[in-house]
Amino acid sequence: MATQNPATGITGTTVPAENLTKKTRIGESIIQGILFICGAISILTTVGIVYILGTESLNFFTRTNWSDTNKRVIVDTSAATTVLETAESGSPVAVGDTIRLQDEIMLITAIDGTLVSVTRGLEGTEIKEHRAGITLERASQVNPLDLITSTNWTPQLGNFGMWPLILATIMTSLIAMFVALPVGLATAIYLSEYASDKARSTLKPILEVLAGIPTVVYGYFALTFMTPLLRNIFGDQTVSIFNTASAGIVVGILIIPLVTSMSEDALHAVPDSLRQAAYGLGATKLETSLRIVVPAALSGITAAFVVAISRAVGETMVVAIAAGSGPKNFTLGEDSLFSYILNPFESAETMTGHIVRISGGDLSYDSIDYNSIFAIGLVLFLMTLSLNVMSRRIVEKYREVYE
Amino acid sequence: MTDEQNYYPEGAELDEQIQKRHRGGTFWRTLFQASTIIGILALTALLYNIINETFGTVAVQNRVEPDKLILDLAEDRILNAPNTDSSENDNILVDSLDDDPYGISFFGYAYYTENSDRLKLLQVDGVEATAENVANGLYPLSRFLYMYTTEEVLLENQAASIYLNYLLTNINREIGEIGYFPVSDSTLSASQIAWVQNSGFDLQPGQWATISPAGLEGNVNIAGSSTVFPVADAFADLIAAEGFAANVDVQSVGSTAGFRAFCVDETADIATASRPIQPGEYQTCRDNFLRPIELRIGIDALAVVVSEENDFLTDITPDELALIFTTAENWSDVNPAWPDQPINRYIPGADSGTLDFFVETIFPAELETLSRETLIQILQANITVGRGRNLERQQRFFADGFAFDDPDLFNEACAGEDPPTGCTRRVRDLENVYALVNQEIVQPDVMQAWTLVESIFNQEEIAAITAEEYPYAELEFRSWLTPEFLVTPQSSTPEFAGVRTAILGSLWVVAITILFSSRWGSRRRFTWKSMRLRTG
């Protein structure tokens, strides 16, 4: 249909207005859906892991552990009696304790010398006759305070102090940090600021080979190379075959490429104009690198450090192989602080190493050992989570945005 | 006073400051470079460590010597050959052979000398058994006679020590009388040096002193070979005549029992033997903290004899002997010139060291050169039927027969619902059977392993340790990473272990990971280039 514009006199054809709103394209929405599902799966997986960790750890804290009191019932008990005649020997029981005689669970209501009054047949257990000579078992639960107040980790014996494991983890991680952070950062500065393009393109892939080697190989590297080296330097008497120093150093070597790679990326991202400006003000290359570029890239470098620390804390195979195969239980005040508890040349078992060793054996479901590894896992998770949160905070706080 | 804020150095001061800043710069630059090098060094150390542990010298000792397998087999064939009479009593052999023109026999030289009027001694390879030929090692059928003792005995039992001193002084003069051959002078002085080094007497190796045995008291217990018995016994009489007051007890129980009394029960001070101590026996001794000292005291020669009435034989070769005592039925089968008459074989019994020795000399063969059938025979003789059946169910030995099983049983198994793999897979080839013999019977054990660096720089020390600790072990250079390592499944013995199953497992995990993380999880299209394996 031809129309004419009355003002200009130009004639044209009018076209019906096209609908420009979004057209539904079936293929696209399917793809979107798939992408959403993928994202949801990864989030749900994380949630699932946290859920399992939580519930299993809860089991650990709420489960009833039966420990033998070595106190015998010295007279046969019929189904009708509510007073048990017990021997004097064995560990004492108290009013309010839940006890177990064979399969029958009872609650102690009163104690008169060796006579113990009980309510019988609790928790749906069958009231039965019991012969003399059977020992009482007392119910106990894991006290969450034990985790941080006790210094002895032997779950089968009812000792739940997590310090030996935590200390070992902290020690290996610290040693790894002392190796990886200075070396990694210095390497990153060299590669980013000093090395020629050719040198960088050769050296960086070589360093990244270190990251591609399976950690179990690093474990045997620690055991068959680093430990003998340390023993040669410090003496066989000083250095145990399994020790945290060797494991820590090798974990450090393992994360050097991580620190280097991430820090180098951060340094490289600093705009060249900053360097040029520094040179223009008469700064030397060193001054430019350390006073201009490194501070500018600080958030990236810090992020690299924190990721590296998380990696060191969570590192498993190296410490499982080289650090030791038993928690280094200690008693504060009795054991020397520096020659035993914090001695890096003694063997110790880290949290991850302990989980690997315990779950590598024949572990029956719902045993105390089984539950305990989830509690360790939860603590480990909290440690790495707080490190990650910290790294985000640091990154946000020190981020410098250019252009 | 200068204002710090606005002070700018000039001239020499400026130059100095610039230089200082440059020096600082160089220092830090070096430090940064050193850090990079540390990382690369760590990688180098890691690779070095892996390579160092992957290659190296190993001391390998066989559980069963391959030679022994072949000898057992040959001995079996000799004993089961037709027209064969065997007896532990050599006199019966002599009597039977006496009037049999088509008979042949072999036994200790001493018995021939006793009956030389009735028997005809054959030359072997054209060499006659004379004292000279035997001592030179020219006569093939000769063997050393041994005595074994230990350092502890020599130091603590003076009577035994002096007895051996007397024996080593006079042996070459007396042994001819007893019916054996003397050893060469160098062999005798080697035995004397062994005595000197371990007896605690103030002598240098090479020196020899005869110590008077007169008036010495104590006990000397000697046990072992019946072949050496006449020697030990004769010397007991000889030394007693010199005024030796100790009680010498010589027992003839056989070489093997002698070693048992010597190493295990420790009731014998001296073990006598007509063969060298075997690796297993040596190891038993070492397990009991004894180190046997070997003394070679004489040579026994086997006489291959025929009847005086035999008119066609004067010389014989080892190859002919091998045929005569095993597969040949008639003399003409061996040599067409000989009569077409059945061979009558008279041989010492299976328990005698003489038969062992004969077999050992006549049938030298390498395990590698044996045929598939012979190897299967060795397997049949040396592994349990149960194990054999098990192997046969995995893979057959013969297409039309069964090595370990009753044919009916095996047919039944193959006709069943779930037939074993042995029914369908092709039969084992020579290589496979050889590997089985090696793995099931010979069982080469790695006694000790050294790293590559040790293997290169401490060769002498390794050889010394091996000679001291594992004298029957052989040193060989081994790469633990071999093509077989990649394709064999895991095993509880490191020598036969491989990583095939582990590799397959890893590939499986990698495949599933790729499927989940790269194909669907990543927005980028999956390419091999984009794939980066991260381990941890």
Side-chain angles (χ1 to χ4, degrees):
Chain A
M1 192 172 68
T3 50
Q4 192 179 23
N5 189 323
T8 56
I10 296 170
T11 320
T13 40
T14 51
V15 191
E18 201 175 338
N19 183 6
L20 289 175
T21 55
K22 190 176 133 193
K23 223 191 250 174
T24 43
R25 291 183 207 162
I26 297 177
E28 195 169 88
S29 44
I30 289 176
I31 290 170
Q32 260 186 4
I34 289 174
L35 290 179
F36 176 77
I37 290 171
C38 288
I41 284 176
S42 14
I43 292 170
L44 283 178
T45 311
T46 318
V47 172
I49 291 172
V50 175
Y51 173 76
I52 293 288
L53 262 183
T55 49
E56 294 289 345
S57 308
L58 205 65
N59 268 346
F60 174 68
F61 290 115
T62 55
R63 62 174 282 141
T64 312
N65 302 313
W66 296 104
S67 53
D68 200 336
T69 58
N70 280 325
K71 190 183 266 302
R72 287 175 195 290
V73 178
I74 51 174
V75 176
D76 285 2
T77 313
S78 74
T81 37
T82 56
V83 178
L84 308 174
E85 286 184 49
T86 60
E88 283 189 32
S89 61
S91 58
V93 286
V95 176
D97 281 356
T98 308
I99 54 169
R100 186 166 72 168
L101 203 56
Q102 285 177 316
D103 288 335
E104 188 185 342
I105 295 172
M106 312 172 187
L107 180 73
I108 299 179
T109 52
I111 294 178
D112 179 17
T114 57
L115 298 178
V116 177
S117 309
V118 291
T119 318
R120 301 191 53 184
L122 261 63
E123 296 177 29
T125 50
E126 194 187 337
I127 299 176
K128 278 192 276 189
E129 290 182 9
H130 303 288
R131 301 190 58 96
I134 300 167
T135 56
L136 292 177
E137 287 174 299
R138 183 173 46 203
S140 64
Q141 283 186 338
V142 178
N143 182 355
L145 267 184
D146 272 5
L147 291 186
I148 46 169
T149 53
S150 166
T151 55
N152 191 336
W153 178 264
T154 36
Q156 305 92 334
L157 305 179
N159 299 316
F160 301 104
M162 219 179 266
W163 277 115
L165 302 176
I166 296 177
L167 265 185
T169 296
I170 292 176
M171 269 164 63
T172 46
S173 307
L174 269 184
I175 294 168
M177 289 305 99
F178 277 118
V179 174
L181 300 192
V183 174
L185 181 59
T187 309
I189 294 174
Y190 175 75
L191 288 180
S192 161
E193 303 300 313
Y194 288 86
S196 65
D197 278 350
K198 202 179 165 195
R200 181 167 52 233
S201 61
T202 328
L203 291 176
K204 213 177 167 189
I206 292 179
L207 282 175
E208 280 176 354
V209 169
L210 275 175
I213 294 168
T215 51
V216 63
V217 175
Y218 277 103
Y220 284 101
F221 175 61
L223 198 60
T224 60
F225 183 85
M226 198 51 79
T227 304
L229 192 69
L230 290 177
R231 281 165 78 98
N232 274 342
I233 298 172
F234 297 102
D236 288 1
Q237 301 300 316
T238 327
V239 186
S240 320
I241 289 182
F242 296 102
N243 63 79
T244 40
S246 155
I249 292 170
V250 171
V251 172
I253 292 173
L254 168 75
I255 55 179
I256 283 176
L258 186 76
V259 178
T260 307
S261 198
M262 286 182 71
S263 308
E264 206 261 348
D265 285 347
L267 292 170
H268 213 68
V270 173
D272 223 24
S273 53
L274 256 75
R275 293 188 189 89
Q276 302 300 347
Y279 293 142
L281 289 171
T284 62
K285 194 150 195 170
L286 176 73
E287 286 158 350
T288 314
S289 305
L290 291 188
R291 301 202 187 155
I292 308 294
V293 181
V294 170
L298 198 62
S299 72
I301 292 171
T302 320
F305 282 11
V306 178
V307 169
I309 296 171
S310 314
R311 179 79 198 273
V313 170
E315 175 46 48
T316 309
M317 276 327 285
V318 177
V319 290
I321 291 169
S325 52
K328 184 162 71 176
N329 295 328
F330 58 90
T331 321
L332 268 185
E334 272 181 38
D335 292 309
S336 155
L337 190 63
F338 292 107
S339 67
Y340 181 72
I341 302 175
L342 296 180
N343 186 349
F345 295 135
E346 289 283 336
S347 79
E349 197 170 43
T350 66
M351 303 162 83
T352 48
H354 184 76
I355 294 176
V356 163
R357 182 171 63 86
I358 292 296
S359 51
D362 299 326
L363 201 58
S364 59
Y365 176 74
D366 213 27
S367 65
I368 185 72
D369 281 331
Y370 177 83
N371 288 133
S372 76
I373 63 174
F374 285 94
I376 301 172
L378 186 67
V379 174
L380 200 58
F381 171 72
L382 291 178
M383 279 168 80
T384 42
L385 182 71
S386 52
L387 279 171
N388 281 334
V389 170
M390 209 159 73
S391 89
R392 285 191 81 90
R393 286 276 165 80
I394 292 169
V395 169
E396 274 164 24
K397 188 166 179 188
Y398 294 103
R399 173 178 290 159
E400 295 187 27
V401 184
Y402 308 100
E403 291 165 40
Chain B
M1 207 182 109
T2 53
D3 182 351
E4 284 282 330
Q5 291 294 316
N6 297 323
Y7 175 70
Y8 294 103
E10 282 173 5
E13 204 183 340
L14 177 67
D15 288 345
E16 198 193 320
Q17 202 182 61
I18 290 173
Q19 279 198 353
K20 198 175 157 195
R21 285 166 74 185
H22 276 289
R23 273 204 301 277
T26 317
F27 169 75
W28 282 93
R29 186 197 160 94
T30 319
L31 202 72
F32 295 150
Q33 265 174 334
S35 291
T36 316
I37 290 166
I38 286 178
I40 290 167
L41 273 184
L43 182 67
T44 318
L46 192 78
L47 292 177
Y48 156 81
N49 193 36
I50 292 173
I51 291 170
N52 194 22
E53 301 279 345
T54 308
F55 306 94
T57 310
V58 288
V60 181
Q61 186 169 321
N62 296 326
R63 293 254 175 97
V64 177
E65 287 299 327
D67 293 357
K68 189 175 171 295
L69 295 177
I70 297 164
L71 296 184
D72 286 351
L73 197 71
E75 204 170 297
D76 219 43
R77 282 165 66 196
I78 290 181
L79 285 168
N80 292 322
N83 293 335
T84 302
D85 290 328
S86 85
S87 168
E88 301 288 347
N89 186 339
D90 293 349
N91 287 320
I92 294 179
L93 297 179
V94 173
D95 290 342
S96 317
L97 187 62
D98 192 11
D99 48 2
D100 185 349
Y102 302 111
I104 186 165
S105 181
F106 58 89
F107 34 70
Y109 196 79
Y111 285 98
Y112 165 72
T113 43
E114 280 174 27
N115 300 291
S116 54
D117 51 333
R118 296 196 284 165
L119 302 172
K120 190 164 95 179
L121 180 68
L122 297 182
Q123 295 181 351
V124 178
D125 261 351
V127 181
E128 205 183 334
T130 60
E132 197 186 343
N133 286 339
V134 167
N136 292 341
L138 286 176
Y139 184 69
L141 290 175
S142 61
R143 59 173 165 177
F144 280 110
L145 302 176
Y146 300 87
M147 283 196 179
Y148 287 88
T149 187
T150 64
E151 190 181 352
E152 287 75 22
V153 169
L154 290 181
L155 290 176
E156 284 161 23
N157 185 344
Q158 219 189 355
S161 181
I162 300 305
Y163 173 86
L164 284 173
N165 176 279
Y166 181 80
L167 186 137
L168 289 175
T169 309
N170 299 306
I171 185 76
N172 272 5
R173 206 183 59 218
E174 301 291 339
I175 199 158
E177 294 275 311
I178 305 163
Y180 297 122
F181 298 93
V183 292
S184 68
D185 288 346
S186 59
T187 310
L188 182 65
S189 52
S191 295
Q192 289 175 342
I193 286 171
W195 185 89
V196 166
Q197 279 175 337
N198 294 289
S199 64
F201 280 90
D202 192 17
L203 287 171
Q204 290 302 311
Q207 288 181 312
W208 182 248
T210 311
I211 296 146
S212 164
L216 218 83
E217 293 187 352
N219 284 302
V220 184
N221 292 311
I222 303 172
S225 164
S226 55
T227 316
V228 191
F229 174 81
V231 182
D233 199 45
F235 270 86
D237 294 342
L238 286 171
I239 199 170
E242 299 269 340
F244 188 66
N247 173 33
V248 182
D249 177 32
V250 188
Q251 291 192 4
S252 165
V253 290
S255 302
T256 311
F259 282 123
R260 201 176 310 120
F262 177 64
C263 292
V264 182
D265 307 333
E266 295 182 39
T267 52
D269 302 312
I270 299 165
T272 60
S274 56
R275 57 169 173 80
I277 190 167
Q278 286 173 358
E281 289 163 342
Y282 189 88
Q283 199 56 47
T284 313
C285 271
R286 291 310 306 266
D287 291 346
N288 291 324
F289 307 105
L290 297 173
R291 200 162 62 82
I293 298 165
E294 185 177 280
L295 307 170
R296 296 181 180 192
I297 56 161
I299 300 177
D300 181 22
L302 285 190
V304 181
V305 289
V306 291
S307 163
E308 275 285 311
E309 291 168 33
N310 184 311
D311 54 1
F312 56 93
L313 280 175
T314 50
D315 186 6
I316 204 156
T317 66
D319 288 343
E320 284 168 347
L321 278 175
L323 271 180
I324 288 169
F325 282 97
T326 52
T327 49
E329 287 192 12
N330 289 342
W331 287 103
S332 54
D333 294 344
V334 183
N335 188 334
W338 295 344
D340 189 11
Q341 291 288 336
I343 307 170
N344 296 322
R345 298 160 248 244
Y346 303 98
I347 59 168
D351 294 336
S352 74
T354 316
L355 178 62
D356 290 346
F357 172 59
F358 179 76
V359 170
E360 211 170 295
T361 329
I362 298 301
F363 297 91
E366 297 274 306
L367 204 56
E368 289 87 346
T369 59
L370 294 184
S371 69
R372 205 178 75 91
E373 282 65 31
T374 321
L375 287 172
I376 292 174
Q377 280 176 26
I378 288 178
L379 270 179
Q380 284 170 320
N382 287 284
I383 65 176
T384 61
V385 176
R387 179 71 190 137
R389 271 185 203 160
N390 203 342
L391 291 170
E392 196 155 44
R393 282 196 156 75
Q394 287 165 17
Q395 202 174 347
R396 275 174 302 172
F397 289 101
F398 301 116
D400 50 353
F402 305 99
F404 289 93
D405 228 334
D406 187 345
D408 297 337
L409 266 177
F410 206 73
N411 285 336
E412 207 175 290
C414 282
E417 287 214 340
D418 190 13
T421 52
C423 299
T424 47
R425 289 174 74 180
R426 65 193 171 80
V427 291
R428 295 176 186 272
D429 56 9
L430 176 64
E431 204 177 312
N432 184 312
V433 177
Y434 178 71
L436 266 188
V437 171
N438 214 17
Q439 196 166 331
E440 297 285 328
I441 310 167
V442 177
Q443 298 192 16
D445 284 343
V446 172
M447 307 302 282
Q448 197 169 348
W450 290 269
T451 61
L452 182 63
V453 171
E454 285 172 331
S455 310
I456 295 171
F457 296 106
N458 296 354
Q459 278 170 349
E460 284 173 17
E461 197 186 320
I462 290 173
I465 289 173
T466 312
E468 168 76 20
E469 298 281 325
Y470 321 105
Y472 294 99
E474 277 183 27
L475 283 175
E476 59 182 59
F477 189 80
R478 169 175 296 209
S479 158
W480 291 95
L481 181 66
T482 54
E484 291 86 58
F485 179 72
L486 298 178
V487 295
T488 41
Q490 64 205 64
S491 159
S492 50
T493 35
E495 293 89 322
F496 302 118
V499 289
R500 189 188 71 200
T501 43
I503 289 178
L504 290 179
S506 296
L507 287 180
W508 190 227
V509 172
V510 168
I512 293 175
T513 312
I514 290 174
L515 211 62
F516 272 84
S517 61
S518 296
R519 188 87 183 126
W520 293 344
S522 157
R523 269 168 297 164
R524 264 184 292 171
R525 214 160 57 84
F526 169 77
T527 60
W528 283 106
K529 259 187 188 169
S530 74
M531 190 181 81
R532 260 165 78 192
L533 293 184
R534 274 281 162 87
T535 48

